[in-house]
Amino acid sequence: MTLMNHGQARRADSHPASPRSSRHGSRGGRAAEPTPTSPDVAVPPGEEETADHGADTGEQPAPPRELVLAKAINAALRDELTEDAKTLLIGEDIGALGGVFRVTEGLQKEFGPQRVVDSPLAESGIIGTSIGMAMRGYRPVVEIQFDGFVFPAFNQITTQLAKIRSRTLGKVAAPLTIRLPYGGSIGSIEHHSESPEALFAHTAGLRVITPSNAHDAYWMTRQAIRCDDPVIILEPKRRYWLKGLVDFSTPAQDAFTAQVVREGTDATIACYGPLVPVALAAAQVAAEDGRSIEVVDVRSISPLDDETIARSAAKTQRLVVAHEAPTFGGFGAEIAARVGERAHHRLAAPVLRVGGFHMPYPPSQQEHRYLPDIDRMLEAVDRSFSYPRR
């Protein structure tokens, strides 16, 4: 493929402006959880319009706008392609098709096939090529079509990409962003609903983040692309159609920090990505029973902002950690250990975990039994309350 002139100028600024179980009531309570679905992977009707908003193009920032999470990512990619001639996208079917989830829809038409590159079906080759481009000063943004398809490229990511800066004593950066749709609840087949975050978090040299809402998706994507370290963005595919307000003039907080998204006093639920809306819905149901649940959106898996999580746990004295991945060897164990080290003397109960079971991801007809829901989160909260407050 032909790339743009290597000597084209980079932008001047390198960073963005700074339902419970039957004893609790019927499962109808789950209606509070926003889980938009689609019979296929395209964005639902009414959302086909592009997310063009004129942000960061020399014009006045557009007013806040409601977008689905997928279109917020599209807007971020468009703005980065506009601002930096060395930013380019590469992936399977991302050009004319606009990606399986239509996240890159319209971008090849706008920026051309040299900037939005349809690649062969060869994940290892995609990542290897992109590593070379990153080492030569480009900022490639790779889309891996589904979470389970990343493993042919796992060697390139963990043994090469993650080690370049250390191997060269900081002389060579690798500003490569890998977009990876992950998680379940889309009724798909094998290899399409994995949660591999712990595998990448265990690899030093990689940054791993996961947005849970449209505003974070826009700003965290832009911050990731501008970062000089390799960043894996885990995009919660079951939330691609979740609408939210995106403020193009007010950046989200640092992409590599956690955020308290609901204040509470009695217990904390810490989670990330697809389970944040579930935790918020669980907290709402708990409030009807007179319990005040604080929800922490972890946002950054590596580096982990354990200080924010531990501060919340110390305040409420109880912590439940939730993720879709299996609890056995899951990233929740790292959060539990960190909080135990930081705030053990402030906790009234052990840190409890809620997650998938230690088994291959089940067929789509059974995934509702596998994935954490409001019931399982609140049952863990109940167990936590069996320990008396200090």
Side-chain angles (χ1 to χ4, degrees), residues 87-146:
T87 296
L88 69 156
L89 314 184
I90 180 171
E92 300 165 5
D93 297 321
I94 69 167
L97 181 65
V100 170
F101 295 99
R102 307 299 188 262
V103 174
T104 56
E105 189 170 37
L107 297 181
Q108 188 181 73
K109 182 178 180 180
E110 184 173 348
F111 295 96
Q114 296 182 6
R115 301 284 305 284
V116 182
V117 182
D118 271 320
S119 71
L121 274 66
E123 286 79 9
S124 182
I126 295 169
I127 295 296
T129 300
S130 298
I131 291 172
M133 288 191 290
M135 293 176 69
R136 293 295 295 169
Y138 294 96
R139 290 184 179 265
V141 182
V142 170
E143 177 183 301
I144 300 296
Q145 203 167 73
F146 282 92

Side-chain angles (χ1 to χ4, degrees), residues 89-353:
L89 314 184
I90 180 171
E92 300 165 5
D93 297 321
I94 69 167
L97 181 65
V100 170
F101 295 99
R102 307 299 188 262
V103 174
T104 56
E105 189 170 37
L107 297 181
Q108 188 181 73
K109 182 178 180 180
E110 184 173 348
F111 295 96
Q114 296 182 6
R115 301 284 305 284
V116 182
V117 182
D118 271 320
S119 71
L121 274 66
E123 286 79 9
S124 182
I126 295 169
I127 295 296
T129 300
S130 298
I131 291 172
M133 288 191 290
M135 293 176 69
R136 293 295 295 169
Y138 294 96
R139 290 184 179 265
V141 182
V142 170
E143 177 183 301
I144 300 296
Q145 203 167 73
F146 282 92
D147 36 47
F149 299 174
V150 75
F151 297 107
F154 192 76
N155 178 53
Q156 293 274 15
I157 295 170
T158 59
T159 67
Q160 303 299 328
L161 177 62
K163 294 174 170 57
I164 287 172
R165 176 163 274 189
S166 175
R167 182 186 298 150
T168 62
L169 300 179
K171 294 182 175 64
V172 178
L176 170 57
T177 301
I178 301 173
R179 295 181 41 247
L180 184 61
Y182 83 117
S185 197
I186 64 167
S188 195
I189 59 175
E190 189 179 32
H191 307 310
H192 291 68
S193 301
E194 308 297 325
S195 296
E197 62 267 25
L199 300 177
F200 295 112
H202 188 69
T203 303
L206 299 175
R207 293 178 182 248
V208 185
I209 60 176
T210 176
S212 66
N213 59 77
H215 182 75
D216 270 0
Y218 174 81
W219 286 107
M220 290 172 73
T221 299
R222 298 201 66 182
Q223 292 177 35
I225 295 171
R226 296 184 179 202
C227 181
D228 286 333
D229 293 325
V231 181
I232 296 176
I233 308 177
L234 296 169
E235 299 173 358
K237 66 172 86 75
R238 68 190 277 194
R239 304 300 177 195
Y240 272 144
W241 306 284
L242 179 63
K243 285 188 175 183
L245 197 65
V246 180
D247 188 341
F248 300 108
S249 62
T250 304
Q253 69 180 52
D254 185 350
F256 306 107
T257 59
Q259 183 176 21
V260 176
V261 293
R262 180 183 174 115
E263 298 278 352
T265 57
D266 296 333
T268 297
I269 299 177
C271 55
Y272 48 82
L275 288 192
V276 173
V278 183
L280 290 170
Q284 183 60 42
V285 175
E288 298 170 6
D289 288 348
R291 285 179 175 170
S292 175
I293 306 298
E294 183 151 298
V295 179
V296 177
D297 185 348
V298 176
R299 299 173 80 247
S300 178
I301 294 171
S302 181
L304 175 64
D305 180 10
D306 53 347
E307 182 178 353
T308 295
I309 304 168
R311 187 186 308 119
S312 175
K315 181 181 78 172
T316 66
Q317 297 189 16
R318 295 177 174 86
L319 175 63
V320 173
V321 183
H323 49 61
E324 287 191 8
T327 53
F328 184 84
F331 191 71
E334 179 67 23
I335 296 175
R338 294 277 192 104
V339 172
E341 292 168 359
R342 279 180 169 269
H344 172 73
H345 60 291
R346 299 287 301 278
L347 300 179
V351 179
L352 300 177
R353 293 176 293 153

Side-chain angles (χ1 to χ4, degrees), residues 28-42:
R30 293 195 68 190
E33 179 195 339
T35 54
T37 58
S38 174
D40 55 34
V41 292

